[in-house]
């Protein structure tokens, strides 16, 4: 019983975290067809920005509750700066090129940003535990859980459903997803594709940074966290079907519970269970659970 | 058609490399053997890349090669370099043959992602395997050759010589392969898979063969590097290791079987200098170089080399 | 006499749409059959099913008395059925010669053609001879992406014929080719195929071409065959005139 509860709660928390991290990635892919390795950097930058901002805020001795706003604000600003700069300064010149080459470009950016972070924040870990501590813990069926972890579930649900609503329930969002890959049609309907791409990429970067910021209080922020996260986010997005927000949600849940089950029942598999799940999904359904297959016409 | 000078070129290069292995200072020999190992992995990547497939998970076979050496060390106490350098690619090739049935169905970024996932699975397994030293890995026995133990310096030189000969053999065989019908299918597959099927050949099989070839080569590279460094750890399987191979493949270009080795040597030199002058900016140098190559020199350094050689060829007959 | 190709009650549904709705037809050896029908009548879908690109929803396809229903294109090709495409399917970045060499290499070698060089001398000679018979040897060293449409069509057909197929299905061999060139191109194709004694089934919109080259004509409309017989009889059939030929004949006259 205890194990079941632990798997369920841990799984839900981990799934929420995965979802927050993968959401920006799937958005960028859905609209722009770009698989962005640098999304891992956005995550790391968000985590660093939040950790150092919270650190400074706590040092200044201001009301602790404001720390959450500072955390989110710092990540959002960092995401906008990096995302907007990258799209305008580099990526827009790559549109229309081979998908694998664009993937390599984002890999190059990932490598560069790695050292940019090292230059700004150094190699020593940042620890910003205050936002986590402040919320205390609750007991779920005899098991203590940090309220911060539990609140991640709510945050993920709110952000995810907000984005889903904007894209699939508003007229503009629906139109966007239907015609974005047909430039002529988009222009005809008055959609400025260049602007949509800029906004999407920036939003994706902000979501990545936010994912990092929300994680910052529960990990030690140090070099290498981006590399770890990006492959997990990829796996989640592939499981759910690339470009689908609902898919990312389902993928996160599947990966989250699989991970939690492995941790509690079969710890040897902890580190690879998500990739194994991804491989399994691809074998059975190559386009992912919610992806669409595109046959070629002759 | 101009005459193909690849094979004589490779033979001359191998002689030079054997000379380096015999007489150059120790650090240079070490640099060389690591470059050759990496070049072998990248040679396999090149075979795939010609068909438009970029594996982000060659670290899988690289690690399998390294750990095969380690496991044979532990299980059988064998350290014969020749035996190990044959066994590792055989194991890697077998694994690639099995996974190939699945991977041959994927293209583009999906191929890249799935290869990456398999590499990460091995990484996850290795990190959690306490019998294999978990994250620390374990040490490799000093490789032995036929006859008595020649001492550490000579061992490294012999290993480097062996690596040079293996590289020669691999490059010559891959060269032959690239000129065959199956080799030319790379362009054909990139251009039009449906046509290939309608000519009566299975695209899956063509890709499967390329994938196994790449796996074998990466296994050989992993075995050589394990013996040269004397240590293996799960980092060999991590995706950033695979990323380095991808980097070298782009840096080198796919113009010739010699390109991956040239690229690997350049890479190791680049790393040495970066470590000396900008120790904290190694990734930035890597990323910046990769960007510059993708944008300005998509066919890699080999295309520069070819351009430099062409006027020579034209002048020669007149 | 048994038919070379025997198709029975073939159906193909895409959702609620029946692209082919019960086609039965037999083609004898050495026949040259023209297939006509308006756009969407199911002609290309029929060819796609016979060559294994699309699995039929219902029905059987028999070739030389052997059931080949649902086999993939590469197996169908191996058994002796080849096809050309309405939009030529060539290897755009390779030269014309290499396009043909790859086709010949696959035809000549087995499952693992990894050792013999593609450009061995006899093979190049054979490729050039084939290009010669299609009148496009002059383009041998050009990349396929830069070819004029007519040449690309001929290359597509030449590649389809290197195995010496017993049955060749041509999907609109003259579409996209100028009026001035089309007879010359059809003459070239038909001469090359006659030399190989190939059975031919070709889809065509141009009634002049159909009338001139086909021995027998099949008319498709709405996924079924509405007429089958000698060319002039089919083209003059009132039902065919109403549904397929339409205004075209007047233009031709």
């Amino acid at each position: 019983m205890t194990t079941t509860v632990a798997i369920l709660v841990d799984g839900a928390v981990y799934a929420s975290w995965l979802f927050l991290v993968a959401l920006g990635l799937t958005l960028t892919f859905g609209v722009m067809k770009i698989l962005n390795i640098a999304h891992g950097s956005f995550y790391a930058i968000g985590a660093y920005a939040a950790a150092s901002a919270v650190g400074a805020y706590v040092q200044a001795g201001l009301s602790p509750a404001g720390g959450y706003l500072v955390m989110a604000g710092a990540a959002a600003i960092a995401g906008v700066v990096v995302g907007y700069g990258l799209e305008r300064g580099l990526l827009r010149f790559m549109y229309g090129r081979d998908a694998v080459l664009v993937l390599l470009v984002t890999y190059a950016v990932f490598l560069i940003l790695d050292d940019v972070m090292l230059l700004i924040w150094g190699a020593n870990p940042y620890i910003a535990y205050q936002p986590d501590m402040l919320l205390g813990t609750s007991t779920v069926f005899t098991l203590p859980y940090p309220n911060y972890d539990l609140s991640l579930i709510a945050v993920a649900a709110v952000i995810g459903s907000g984005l889903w609503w904007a894209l699939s329930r508003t007229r503009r969002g629906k139109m966007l997803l239907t015609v974005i890959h047909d430039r002529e049609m988009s222009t005809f309907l008055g959609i400025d594709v260049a602007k949509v791409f800029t906004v999407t990429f920036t939003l994706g970067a902000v979501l990545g940074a936010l994912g990092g910021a929300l994680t910052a209080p529960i990990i030690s922020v140090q070099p290498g966290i981006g590399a770890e996260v990006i492959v997990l986010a990829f796996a989640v997005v592939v499981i759910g079907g690339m470009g689908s927000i609902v898919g990312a949600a389902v993928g996160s849940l599947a990966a989250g519970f699989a991970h939690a089950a492995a941790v509690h029942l079969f710890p040897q598999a902890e580190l690879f269970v998500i990739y194994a799940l991804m491989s399994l999904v691809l074998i059975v359904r190559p386009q992912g659970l919610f992806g669409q297959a595109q046959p070629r016409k002759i | 058609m101009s005459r193909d000078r690849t094979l004589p070129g490779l033979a001359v290069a191998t002689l030079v490399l054997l000379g380096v292995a015999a007489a150059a200072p120790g650090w240079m020999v070490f640099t060389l053997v690591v470059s050759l190992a990496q070049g072998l992995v990248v040679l396999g990547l090149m075979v795939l890349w010609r068909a438009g497939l970029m594996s982000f998970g060659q670290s899988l076979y690289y690690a399998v090669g390294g750990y095969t050496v380690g496991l044979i060390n532990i299980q059988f106490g064998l350290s014969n370099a020749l035996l190990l350098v044959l066994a590792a690619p055989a194991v890697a090739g077998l694994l690639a043959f099995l996974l190939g049935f699945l991977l041959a169905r994927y293209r583009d970024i999906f191929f890249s992602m799935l290869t990456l996932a398999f590499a990460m699975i091995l990484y996850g397994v290795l990190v959690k395997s306490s019998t294999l030293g978990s994250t620390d890995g374990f040490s490799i026995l000093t490789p032995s050759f036929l006859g008595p133990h020649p001492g550490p310096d000579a061992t490294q030189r012999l290993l480097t010589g062996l690596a040079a000969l293996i590289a020669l053999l691999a490059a010559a065989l891959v060269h032959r392969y690239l000129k065959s019908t199956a080799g030319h299918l790379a362009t054909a597959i990139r251009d039009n898979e449906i046509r290939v099927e309608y000519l009566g050949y299975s695209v899956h099989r063509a890709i499967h063969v390329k994938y196994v070839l790449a796996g074998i080569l990466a296994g050989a590279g992993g075995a050589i590097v394990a013996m040269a460094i004397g240590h293996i750890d799960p980092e060999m399987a991590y995706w950033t290791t695979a990323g380095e191979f991808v980097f070298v493949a782009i840096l080198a270009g796919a113009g010739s079987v010699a390109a991956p080795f040239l690229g690997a040597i350049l890479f190791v030199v680049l790393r040495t200098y970066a470590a000396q002058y900008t120790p904290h900016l190694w990734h930035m140098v890597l990323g910046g170089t990769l960007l510059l190559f993708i944008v300005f020199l998509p066919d890699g350094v080999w295309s520069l080399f070819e351009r430099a050689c062409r006027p020579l060829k034209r002048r020669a007959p007149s | 006499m048994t038919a070379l190709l025997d198709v029975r009650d073939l159906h193909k549904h895409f959702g609620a749409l029946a692209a082919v709705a019960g086609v039965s037809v037999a083609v004898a050896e050495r026949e040259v059959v023209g297939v006509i029908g308006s756009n969407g009548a199911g002609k290309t879908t029929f060819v796609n099913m016979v060559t294994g690109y699309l699995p039929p929803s219902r029905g059987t396809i028999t070739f030389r008395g052997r059931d080949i229903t649902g086999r993939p294109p590469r197996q169908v090709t191996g058994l002796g059925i080849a096809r050309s495409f309405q939009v030529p399917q060539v290897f755009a970045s390779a030269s014309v010669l290499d396009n043909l060499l790859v086709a010949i290499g696959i035809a000549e070698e087995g499952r693992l053609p990894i050792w013999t060089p593609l450009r061995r001398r006899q093979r190049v000679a054979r490729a050039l001879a084939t290009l010669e018979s299609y009148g496009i040897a002059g383009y041998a060293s050009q990349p396929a992406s830069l070819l004029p449409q007519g040449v690309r069509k001929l290359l597509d057909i030449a590649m389809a014929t290197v195995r010496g197929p017993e049955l060749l299905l041509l999907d609109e061999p003259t579409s996209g080719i100028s009026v001035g060139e089309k007879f010359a191109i059809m003459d070239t194709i038909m001469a090359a195929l006659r030399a190989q004694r190939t059975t031919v089934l070709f889809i065509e919109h141009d009634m002049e071409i159909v009338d001139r080259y086909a021995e027998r004509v099949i008319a498709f409309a709405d996924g079924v065959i509405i007429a089958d017989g000698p060319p002039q009889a089919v083209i003059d059939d009132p039902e065919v005139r109403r549904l397929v030929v339409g205004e075209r004949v007047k233009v031709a006259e």
Side-chain angles (χ1 to χ4, degrees):
Chain A
M1 178 66 195
T2 319
T3 315
T4 314
V5 172
I7 288 174
L8 286 177
V9 181
D10 281 353
V13 171
Y14 198 69
S16 310
W17 176 74
L18 284 173
F19 180 70
L20 286 168
V21 173
L23 190 57
L25 192 69
T26 205
L27 175 73
T28 315
F29 185 84
V31 175
M32 305 168 73
K33 294 282 172 270
I34 289 178
L35 188 58
N36 181 21
I37 296 184
H39 196 73
S41 318
F42 300 158
Y43 166 88
I45 287 173
Y48 270 118
S52 47
V54 166
Y57 184 82
V58 169
Q59 288 247 296
L62 297 163
S63 138
Y68 300 100
L69 278 180
V70 170
M71 205 167 81
I77 293 169
V80 167
V81 169
V82 180
Y84 181 81
L86 206 55
E87 201 276 338
R88 288 285 86 190
L90 176 68
L91 278 180
R92 68 183 167 121
F93 303 109
M94 301 293 161
Y95 296 153
R97 292 189 68 171
D98 185 71
V100 178
L101 271 188
V102 180
L103 179 77
L104 292 176
V105 167
T106 66
Y107 173 55
V109 171
F110 168 84
L111 289 170
I112 293 171
L113 289 178
D114 246 14
D115 278 352
V116 170
M117 283 183 267
L118 206 57
L119 284 178
I120 298 177
W121 285 287
N124 293 327
Y126 277 66
I127 294 160
Y129 57 88
Q130 294 87 349
D132 181 17
M133 294 290 287
L134 202 62
L135 288 183
T137 58
S138 319
T139 307
V140 185
F141 286 100
T142 73
L143 295 168
Y145 275 97
N147 286 329
Y148 186 87
D149 287 8
L150 297 176
S151 62
L152 277 184
I153 301 175
V155 173
V158 168
I159 294 182
S161 48
L163 194 62
W164 175 80
W165 179 81
L167 278 176
S168 53
R169 282 294 171 269
T170 64
R171 221 175 78 83
R172 216 173 157 72
K174 273 193 257 187
M175 197 159 75
L176 187 75
L177 288 187
T178 347
V179 302
I180 195 68
H181 296 294
D182 185 343
R183 282 216 169 219
E184 221 167 276
M185 191 61 148
S186 303
T187 319
F188 176 72
L189 291 173
I191 295 177
D192 181 350
V193 176
K195 201 170 117 195
V196 169
F197 276 21
T198 311
V199 171
T200 305
F201 193 81
T202 310
L203 183 59
V206 170
L207 287 169
L210 214 55
L214 290 167
T215 318
I218 47 179
I219 59 168
S220 106
V221 182
Q222 57 192 15
I225 56 171
E228 244 172 77
V229 153
I230 187 60
V231 284
L232 277 177
F234 274 145
V236 165
V237 166
V238 170
I239 291 171
M242 307 207 347
S244 156
I245 291 174
V246 179
V250 175
S252 304
L253 286 171
F257 288 121
H259 180 259
V263 168
H264 289 286
L265 303 175
F266 191 65
Q268 291 86 347
E270 178 193 343
L271 289 175
F272 67 82
V273 65
I274 291 179
Y275 306 111
L277 181 65
M278 165 183 158
S279 310
L280 205 69
V281 167
L282 280 176
I283 292 167
V284 180
R285 205 176 143 79
Q287 68 273 33
L289 297 175
F290 284 79
Q292 282 148 7
Q294 288 158 338
R296 196 188 134 189
K297 209 170 146 36
I298 49 171
Chain B
M1 253 177 276
S2 62
R3 268 187 68 81
D4 180 11
R5 299 183 189 183
T6 309
L7 292 180
L10 285 177
V12 172
T14 309
L15 285 177
V16 173
L17 295 181
L18 287 175
V20 172
W27 65 267
M28 206 190 261
V29 173
F30 181 72
T31 306
L32 178 62
V33 70
V34 173
S35 307
L36 286 169
Q38 192 164 42
L40 281 168
V41 185
V42 177
L43 183 64
L45 265 189
M46 184 183 92
V47 170
L48 286 169
W49 183 224
R50 282 184 164 224
L53 299 166
M54 184 53 90
S55 163
F56 253 86
Q58 272 330 77
S59 52
L60 171 65
Y61 300 106
Y62 188 65
V64 164
Y67 274 80
T68 301
V69 169
L71 284 172
I72 292 179
N73 276 181
I74 294 176
Q75 293 294 320
F76 307 106
L78 293 173
S79 64
N80 183 293
L82 206 58
L83 171 93
L84 292 170
V85 96
L86 288 175
V91 174
L94 184 66
L95 181 62
F97 174 72
L98 295 176
L99 292 183
F101 284 104
L102 174 62
L103 280 159
R105 291 161 41 186
Y106 295 89
R107 306 290 180 274
D108 289 334
I109 46 176
F110 295 94
F111 180 84
S112 305
M113 296 322 301
L114 195 56
T115 51
L116 188 152
F118 283 134
M120 291 306 288
I121 290 176
L122 179 66
Y123 174 78
V125 171
L126 292 177
V127 164
K128 288 279 176 179
S129 303
S130 47
T131 48
L132 296 177
S134 301
T135 42
D136 296 333
F138 59 94
S139 292
I140 298 293
L141 296 177
T142 310
S144 61
F145 298 87
L146 309 167
H149 213 285
D153 181 65
T155 298
Q156 196 71 298
R157 288 177 194 280
L158 279 173
L159 183 65
T160 309
L162 179 64
L165 291 175
I166 288 170
L168 171 70
L169 182 70
L173 289 178
V174 170
H175 183 62
R176 177 99 193 187
Y177 168 79
L178 291 178
K179 301 195 90 166
S180 73
T181 302
H184 278 87
L185 278 176
T187 325
I189 288 169
R190 223 174 41 209
D191 281 351
N192 197 333
E193 292 192 13
I194 288 173
R195 175 42 110 181
V196 175
E197 291 278 331
Y198 266 110
L199 288 174
Y201 200 76
S202 157
V203 172
H204 282 192
R205 192 188 302 135
I207 291 177
H208 199 160
V209 169
K210 289 173 197 299
Y211 187 71
V212 171
L213 212 57
I216 290 173
L217 290 166
I224 290 170
V225 99
M227 287 188 280
I229 294 176
H231 188 265
I232 48 175
D233 63 43
E235 204 67 20
M236 282 180 94
Y238 200 58
W239 77 271
T240 48
T241 307
E244 269 184 17
F245 299 139
V246 171
F247 172 86
V248 179
I250 298 294
L251 180 79
S256 158
V257 290
F261 297 98
L262 187 70
I265 291 173
L266 274 177
F267 174 78
V268 176
V269 170
L270 190 67
R271 184 164 61 191
T272 312
Y273 278 94
Q276 215 162 351
Y277 295 108
T278 55
H280 300 300
L281 298 178
W282 167 232
H283 280 165
M284 198 178 278
V285 171
L286 270 186
T289 314
L290 184 57
L291 264 189
L292 290 176
F293 270 77
I294 290 172
V295 175
F296 296 110
L297 203 61
D299 294 325
V301 279
W302 188 259
S303 63
L304 284 181
F305 187 73
E306 264 183 340
R307 224 176 292 168
C309 289
R310 206 168 298 145
L312 257 175
K313 276 186 192 164
R314 207 170 296 154
R315 242 175 284 141
S318 60
Chain C
M1 189 200 76
T2 56
L4 183 65
L5 176 74
D6 193 359
V7 173
R8 294 265 169 86
D9 194 32
L10 205 59
H11 289 253
K12 183 69 194 177
H13 307 286
F14 296 109
L17 174 83
V20 170
V23 163
S24 298
V25 67
V27 176
E29 235 168 295
R30 309 264 176 84
E31 249 186 319
V32 176
V33 183
V35 175
I36 60 174
S38 54
N39 285 322
K43 307 180 302 287
T44 298
T45 306
F46 171 75
V47 168
N48 281 344
M49 283 192 283
V50 171
T51 57
Y53 186 69
L54 291 174
S57 308
R58 179 142 57 97
T60 56
I61 304 161
T62 316
F63 181 66
R64 282 209 167 283
R66 192 168 176 173
D67 187 1
I68 58 162
T69 318
R71 298 235 193 153
R74 67 169 179 283
Q75 286 183 18
V76 173
T77 304
L79 291 171
I81 302 180
R83 75 172 287 187
S84 76
F85 300 83
Q86 194 177 338
V87 177
Q89 301 288 319
V90 296
F91 304 127
S93 58
S95 71
V96 169
L97 182 63
D98 277 357
N99 265 275
L100 209 57
L101 283 173
V102 167
I104 296 173
I106 290 174
E108 284 182 351
E109 292 185 64
R111 295 161 65 88
L112 284 178
I114 59 174
W115 191 248
T116 315
L118 179 74
R119 298 194 184 113
R120 54 192 299 202
R121 198 166 299 156
Q122 307 98 295
R123 204 177 275 166
V124 172
R126 182 182 160 192
L128 286 172
T130 308
L131 291 176
E132 197 71 59
S133 72
Y134 282 88
I136 53 173
Y139 294 93
S141 59
Q142 276 204 23
S145 56
L146 301 179
L147 294 177
Q149 181 69 3
V151 179
R152 201 182 314 210
K153 282 241 143 166
L154 288 171
L155 174 60
D156 181 67
I157 294 167
M159 286 167 80
T161 58
V162 293
R163 272 178 186 270
E166 291 174 77
L167 172 64
L168 180 62
L169 307 159
L170 300 171
D171 194 352
E172 301 199 19
T174 68
S175 71
I177 291 174
S178 73
V179 184
E181 281 181 302
K182 65 186 182 190
F183 284 110
I185 282 185
M186 273 310 273
D187 281 343
T188 313
I189 295 170
M190 287 305 177
L193 293 177
R194 249 194 309 277
Q196 291 190 16
R197 305 171 156 246
T198 312
T199 306
V200 179
L201 185 144
F202 68 96
I203 297 176
E204 188 53 65
H205 280 299
D206 189 312
M207 292 307 144
E208 286 180 292
I209 299 276
V210 174
D211 191 28
R212 184 149 155 186
Y213 296 97
E215 297 162 357
R216 169 183 167 198
V217 174
I218 298 171
F220 272 69
D222 296 325
V224 294
I225 291 177
I226 55 167
D228 183 347
Q232 212 50 54
V234 171
I235 295 174
D236 288 340
D237 182 288
E239 181 87 346
V240 174
R241 274 192 169 265
R242 190 171 63 80
L243 287 169
V244 182
V245 184
E247 300 298 305
R248 258 176 236 268
V249 166
K250 280 180 206 153
V251 177
E253 283 158 5

